[in-house]
Amino acid sequence: MDKIECIRIFVETAQLNSFTATANKLNMTQSAVSKKIAWLESDLGMTLFQRNSRKISLTHAGKDYLSYCSRLLEEMSAIESKLKRETESIEGELKVSAPSAFSIMLLSEPIKAFIELHPNIRINLSVDDRIVNLNDHNIDIAIRASQLKDSGLKARFLFNNNVQYFASPEYLNAHGIPEQPQDLSRHQCLTYSLMAPANEWQFIDENQKESRVKVKQTFTSDSPDMLLNMAQRGLGVVALPDWMGKESVQKGELKVLLDDWSNNYLPMYAVYHASDYLPQRIRVFIDFLAEHLKYSDS
């Protein structure tokens, strides 16, 4: 038996003070109304209505229960309206998880533009380079640079990360320029500790032949920003997404190395819960972000 339905029928009956009037209003039989009320009384272990041949009246317990049920139904209706409004409109809080460098360099501008376009939205951004569990951290959208293995999640492709290799002019003057990937075994390399293994870099030549090189780890970190900073300071060679090193190359702080060997593209996704009732704010933000970033790998 649906208890909420029984409660609704109880409230209606108490307000109309009649099983017959309730049955007529709800397009039910009087017998069906009586059975719903009887089931509710049995479930509660108390009598809600005094009954006689001519009329019904609430018991003392029935009056107390009516007061509670009326508040319950009002609050439920208000919450349902709020949730439905949030599902259909672009408002409320949007919780996003994204990598640190991506957040600062590529996500700041679209977030600002989205909030200006939708002033009733609130974005809560969690910056984390590790892959977070959406359920454990109550995240609506996670931005991930990886091949996806999650079950029960959906993903929207955003763009491809193209990895390039960088070093400062000062470092190259002191240590020479690596001409091919194998040369990196003799160079100081700055590695990303969240990659496994961190000291093994992958290359693809012009014939699409793949090779892996174990590099000499001089410095390792889980912060791409720190790796970029150390490369700018002349500590060694670093592998980073092209968009991370672009400005430093333009300023002359870094030079691109091994340009004839391309790395596999690592796709960037917006990952979210699979649901037929995804709130509109999530759908619209993902579409907005995909449109904003679609030329990031060009």
Side-chain angles (χ1 to χ4, degrees):
M1 190 74 72
D2 185 338
K3 189 169 186 176
I4 294 297
E5 182 187 8
C6 292
I7 287 174
R8 293 185 192 278
I9 291 172
F10 161 67
V11 171
E12 196 71 48
T13 304
Q15 291 173 344
L16 295 175
N17 204 32
S18 167
F19 285 178
T20 303
T22 300
N24 292 336
K25 183 175 180 179
L26 300 180
N27 196 25
M28 300 171 64
T29 64
Q30 182 176 338
S31 173
V33 171
S34 297
K35 286 180 180 179
K36 298 285 186 182
I37 300 297
W39 181 90
L40 188 59
E41 289 178 322
S42 175
D43 183 66
L44 294 170
M46 66 179 69
T47 300
L48 298 173
F49 290 103
Q50 295 289 357
R51 300 162 174 84
N52 59 43
S53 59
R54 292 189 302 172
K55 66 177 184 176
I56 61 173
S57 60
L58 284 168
T59 62
H60 180 73
K63 290 178 181 178
D64 288 343
Y65 194 58
L66 174 63
S67 177
Y68 164 76
C69 289
S70 296
R71 291 196 308 272
L72 172 68
L73 295 179
E74 287 175 3
E75 290 176 5
M76 184 182 299
S77 178
I79 290 294
E80 288 175 349
S81 297
K82 177 179 179 292
L83 294 176
K84 185 176 181 181
R85 188 172 65 252
E86 288 184 356
T87 299
E88 297 174 348
S89 62
I90 306 168
E91 62 179 47
E93 184 177 47
L94 187 60
K95 291 191 173 183
V96 181
S97 174
S100 55
F102 172 82
S103 297
I104 295 169
M105 294 187 175
L106 295 185
L107 194 55
S108 300
E109 183 179 336
I111 281 181
K112 179 177 180 291
F114 190 77
I115 290 174
E116 289 176 345
L117 192 62
H118 304 288
N120 292 325
I121 203 78
R122 300 185 311 279
I123 294 183
N124 182 341
L125 175 64
S126 174
V127 176
D128 196 331
D129 287 309
R130 300 177 189 274
I131 294 179
V132 301
N133 184 295
L134 272 67
N135 292 317
D136 291 347
H137 293 80
N138 195 24
I139 298 295
D140 295 313
I141 304 168
I143 310 299
R144 295 181 179 172
S146 65
Q147 303 293 344
L148 295 178
K149 298 179 182 179
D150 303 273
S151 60
L153 296 174
K154 286 189 175 181
R156 173 74 176 272
F157 173 78
L158 298 176
F159 67 95
N160 278 317
N161 281 294
N162 179 24
V163 176
Q164 287 186 326
Y165 304 88
F166 305 94
S168 71
E170 292 76 16
Y171 173 84
L172 297 174
N173 288 337
H175 299 272
I177 299 174
E179 301 293 341
Q180 56 185 357
Q182 288 72 20
D183 295 342
L184 293 176
S185 61
R186 300 186 298 273
H187 277 267
Q188 296 177 185
C189 293
L190 319 178
T191 62
Y192 184 48
S193 62
L194 295 184
M195 293 293 288
N199 67 333
E200 189 172 281
W201 291 358
Q202 179 179 309
F203 298 86
I204 298 176
D205 64 20
E206 57 185 10
N207 297 317
Q208 299 302 303
K209 183 179 179 181
E210 181 182 313
S211 62
R212 294 178 181 271
V213 176
K214 283 195 174 182
V215 301
K216 177 184 176 183
Q217 293 186 99
T218 299
F219 176 78
T220 187
S221 174
D222 62 359
S223 167
D225 296 290
M226 189 63 183
L227 293 173
L228 176 64
N229 185 274
M230 297 305 281
Q232 291 167 339
R233 293 174 181 273
L235 186 60
V237 179
V238 68
L240 292 171
D242 52 0
W243 49 266
M244 274 199 75
K246 182 178 180 180
E247 185 176 346
S248 295
V249 171
Q250 292 172 345
K251 291 179 177 179
E253 297 171 339
L254 294 176
K255 289 188 176 181
V256 178
L257 308 174
L258 303 170
D259 218 9
D260 291 336
W261 283 268
S262 65
N263 193 294
N264 272 344
Y265 287 114
L266 188 60
M268 186 77 84
Y269 294 98
V271 182
Y272 56 100
H273 296 283
S275 172
D276 293 333
Y277 304 102
L278 198 66
Q280 184 75 350
R281 62 180 180 275
I282 297 178
R283 297 180 190 275
V284 173
F285 181 73
I286 291 172
D287 289 343
F288 184 88
L289 196 58
E291 179 65 24
H292 191 92
L293 296 173
K294 70 179 178 180
Y295 299 114
S296 294
D297 59 335
S298 59

